[in-house]
Amino acid sequence: MPRLSEVIAELDALWPPERAEQWDAVGTVCGDPDAEVRRVLFAVDPVQEIADEAIRLGADLLITHHPLYLRGTTTVAASHFKGRVVHTLIKHDIALHVAHTNADTADPGVSDALAGALDLRVTGPLVPENNLGRICELDRPETLAEFAARAAKRLPATAQGIRVAGDPDMTLRRVAVSGGSGDSLFDAVRAAGVDAFLTADLRHHPASEATQHSPVGLVDAAHWATEWPWCEQAAAQLDTISDRHGWDLRVHVSQTVTDPWSSHHTSPGAPN
């Protein structure tokens, strides 16, 4: 069995920590470098539900995309919900490792996994300077409505579902995708000349301005749903590493939906 430090060295080669944004918090949050690793769990969010799942699974290492302490902390007291996660993991000898923006810009990275889940052919990065997002081609032209239906079918189900802006009958041939929050990328989307952009967390004003600026279709999925495919991609990468080294790791992907929204209601509208 490998030691945690050996596994982390391989993970850092996949997602170099120096490629993370300066504001980010990636790397190992807790764990003994000399501890043996037999079973690994991948998930998007380091929340209590996932920590409890790691215990039930008998995992030695939990790898998440989102950081536990993005803005730092002065305490890991169990009286706070994040401290409780740390205490839970340490009590059960489970290490926690985070790959966030360094996984976004990796090759393959989060957006490659999203494109793969949608069965799109990647032709290049949306933002070449930092390898962020992906420009993709469809196998055959389809309408914006058909593309949104594809996303709804292939991405994990969430309360939000899929929101669409633009002419549902417009024809798409090239699209851009970016896992996670993507409304800061509209300039790159316009420069790429794509027909539609699939991402998450689109806010009112940036989305409104984008649709007024050019006839690009917008497909807005839940943040968690656009990043969950990375867990499967990352697990497959670790499986390959394990086979190469003869580690015989047991690698799992959490199916727990940790998207914070729990239900969706359609408003009948205010009276005229």
Side-chain angles (χ1 to χ4, degrees), residues 112 114-116 118-124 134-139 150 173-177:
D112 293 290
L114 175 57
L118 297 170
D119 199 23
L120 303 173
R121 185 168 67 86
V122 173
T123 61
R134 293 294 181 265
I135 298 173
C136 309
E137 290 185 352
L138 302 172
D139 289 338
R150 176 203 291 243
R173 293 177 176 82
R174 297 174 69 244
V175 301
V177 302

Side-chain angles (χ1 to χ4, degrees), residues 126-128 135 176 184-194:
L126 175 61
V127 186
I135 298 173
S184 64
L185 301 177
F186 281 133
D187 286 344
V189 169
R190 285 189 285 269
V194 295

Side-chain angles (χ1 to χ4, degrees), residues 1-9 11 27-39 59-62 86 89-97:
M1 291 295 114
R3 293 179 300 162
L4 176 63
S5 59
E6 295 176 284
V7 178
I8 297 303
L11 299 181
T28 305
V29 178
C30 62
D32 180 352
D34 292 325
E36 288 188 344
V37 177
R38 300 174 179 82
R39 197 175 294 268
D60 307 294
L61 171 60
L62 170 61
V86 175
L89 295 174
I90 292 176
K91 279 182 180 179
H92 293 86
D93 296 320
I94 302 171
L96 172 61
H97 187 80

Side-chain angles (χ1 to χ4, degrees), residues 195-227:
D195 304 308
F197 179 39
L198 185 149
T199 187
D201 296 341
L202 292 183
R203 295 170 295 162
H204 174 87
H205 292 295
S208 176
E209 291 170 4
T211 56
Q212 294 297 313
H213 190 282
S214 60
V216 63
L218 302 180
V219 181
D220 183 40
H223 189 118
W224 174 85
T226 64
E227 294 182 330

Side-chain angles (χ1 to χ4, degrees), residues 47 49 70 74 94 108 131 140 160-161 163 188 201 217 229 235 268:
V47 294
E49 277 182 286
L70 182 58
T74 58
I94 302 171
N131 200 39
R140 60 174 181 78
Q160 171 187 315
R163 301 190 300 176
D201 296 341

